[in-house]
Amino acid sequence: MRELKPVWTSSTFLVYTGGLTVLVGGLSALGYLATHYGSGGIAGWAFLVLAVLYGIAHAFRRAGRRIAAGIFAFASVIAWGVFVAYLFQWWGWLGHESFQHWSWGRLALELLIVVAAVDDERRFGFPFIRLISAVVLWFFVIDLITSGGNFTAAVTLVVGLLYLAAGRAIEAPSSFWFHLVGGLLIGGPILFWWHTSDAEWAGVSIVALVFVALAYATGRSSWAVLGTIGFFLATIHYVVGSPTQLAQGAFGAGSAQSCIATTAGETCTSTGPSISGWSPALGLGLLGFWLVLLGLLGRQLRAPADSPPA
């Protein structure tokens, strides 16, 4: 089915919110039932939730309500994953192994979720389902060939770059989710590697600028949002070193002190860096003007207009 491009209206918001609320309600019910039933029983209840959600999705599809059908199809993919997880636990195929340990049951679960998401996206033409397949496919890849640490971060970066390429190659509403997830997968490893020294945060700022350039090149505002987050994090580092200290400086709290009572009176010592009261104001003010400048430059270059999210 040809992909639908939802238009964000009050009606669309209510349908999205209602469908996701139903999903949360179903998952909450399973959480309650799990305390009263064994593995086989809870797997049966999970199948019932899946059947209800999937039945509703097809009923809306037959009625021509594609957005409502799509959001319930999205919910049914989540319910499918929960059902398969409970089923594997009942059969003894899925334990509680950590990410560092190989588990073919966990890999099979991830792969089955990806297959279900791809199939439902094809059937319902609902772009939002691409979010599930993109996230779970990334997790499947790192679960298959990594066990944490720098190698996992490197593989995550590569997957993010591949998602960027896929988002550029695919001209469909669902490509938005390749851009969004790809940006997160690229930015995450950068922050994992560079988050300590001034030079590292300078590198984060450069990557954030590249993200803004990608926003104009691809017409996807998600890159600008992620780049702006990077600029904010770097500014916080240069001004105070941490968000908590930023709040203290903004409200004039200054540096924290530790006081000890002695026979000569109370002795107080500073337990954190001294932050000038005007530093947050100056740093955030300069950042604001920098973001305005980037926005004006983008308009002057007549870059493609940002596409609305799917």
Side-chain angles (χ1 to χ4, degrees), residues 130-144:
R130 178 66 60 83
L131 173 63
I132 300 176
S133 58
V135 172
V136 179
L137 181 59
W138 158 73
F139 195 81
F140 172 79
V141 171
I142 64 171
D143 195 9
L144 178 65

Side-chain angles (χ1 to χ4, degrees), residues 190-191 193-207 230-231 233-242:
I190 297 299
L191 291 176
W193 288 321
W194 299 343
H195 61 272
T196 305
S197 68
D198 289 348
E200 290 175 347
W201 281 104
V204 171
S205 298
I206 293 173
V207 173
F231 284 130
L233 293 176
T235 300
I236 290 173
H237 166 78
Y238 286 121
V239 171
V240 294
S242 75

Side-chain angles (χ1 to χ4, degrees), residues 4-23:
L4 173 70
K5 187 175 183 179
V7 178
W8 197 246
T9 64
S10 299
S11 174
T12 305
F13 167 77
L14 292 173
V15 171
Y16 270 68
T17 305
L20 294 177
T21 302
V22 171
L23 171 63

Side-chain angles (χ1 to χ4, degrees), residues 45-258:
W45 282 110
F47 178 77
L48 178 61
V49 171
L50 168 63
V52 170
L53 292 175
Y54 206 48
I56 294 174
H58 278 284
F60 276 125
R61 180 189 177 193
R62 288 192 296 269
R65 303 289 186 176
R66 292 190 60 189
I67 294 180
I71 198 64
F72 275 95
F74 177 93
S76 70
V77 175
I78 303 294
W80 163 256
V82 173
F83 164 66
V84 174
Y86 279 128
L87 191 66
F88 281 10
Q89 285 183 348
W90 180 29
W91 292 345
W93 293 357
L94 190 64
H96 300 282
E97 302 89 351
S98 66
F99 180 72
Q100 287 76 18
H101 295 84
W102 171 273
S103 172
W104 74 266
R106 189 173 62 236
L107 291 171
L109 170 63
E110 295 156 4
L111 189 59
L112 287 172
I113 294 174
V114 171
V115 170
V118 171
D119 181 65
D120 274 2
E121 185 183 356
R122 177 185 61 83
R123 291 176 183 273
F124 291 87
F126 194 60
F128 193 28
I129 301 175
R130 178 66 60 83
L131 173 63
I132 300 176
S133 58
V135 172
V136 179
L137 181 59
W138 158 73
F139 195 81
F140 172 79
V141 171
I142 64 171
D143 195 9
L144 178 65
I145 64 177
T146 73
S147 59
N150 287 324
F151 185 51
T152 297
V155 173
T156 296
L157 178 62
V158 171
V159 174
L161 293 172
L162 291 175
Y163 280 1
L164 168 59
R168 291 285 285 167
I170 299 174
E171 295 183 0
S174 61
S175 64
F176 168 81
W177 297 106
F178 275 133
H179 284 282
L180 177 60
V181 177
L184 292 171
L185 297 184
I186 294 171
I190 297 299
L191 291 176
F192 176 77
W193 288 321
W194 299 343
H195 61 272
T196 305
S197 68
D198 289 348
E200 290 175 347
W201 281 104
V204 171
S205 298
I206 293 173
V207 173
L209 184 60
V210 172
F211 273 36
V212 173
L214 283 172
Y216 288 120
T218 63
R220 294 295 182 178
S221 59
S222 61
W223 291 101
V225 172
L226 295 175
T228 300
I229 293 173
F231 284 130
F232 267 100
L233 293 176
T235 300
I236 290 173
H237 166 78
Y238 286 121
V239 171
V240 294
S242 75
T244 301
Q245 293 169 355
L246 172 63
Q248 291 175 347
F251 291 100
S255 59
Q257 290 187 334
S258 175

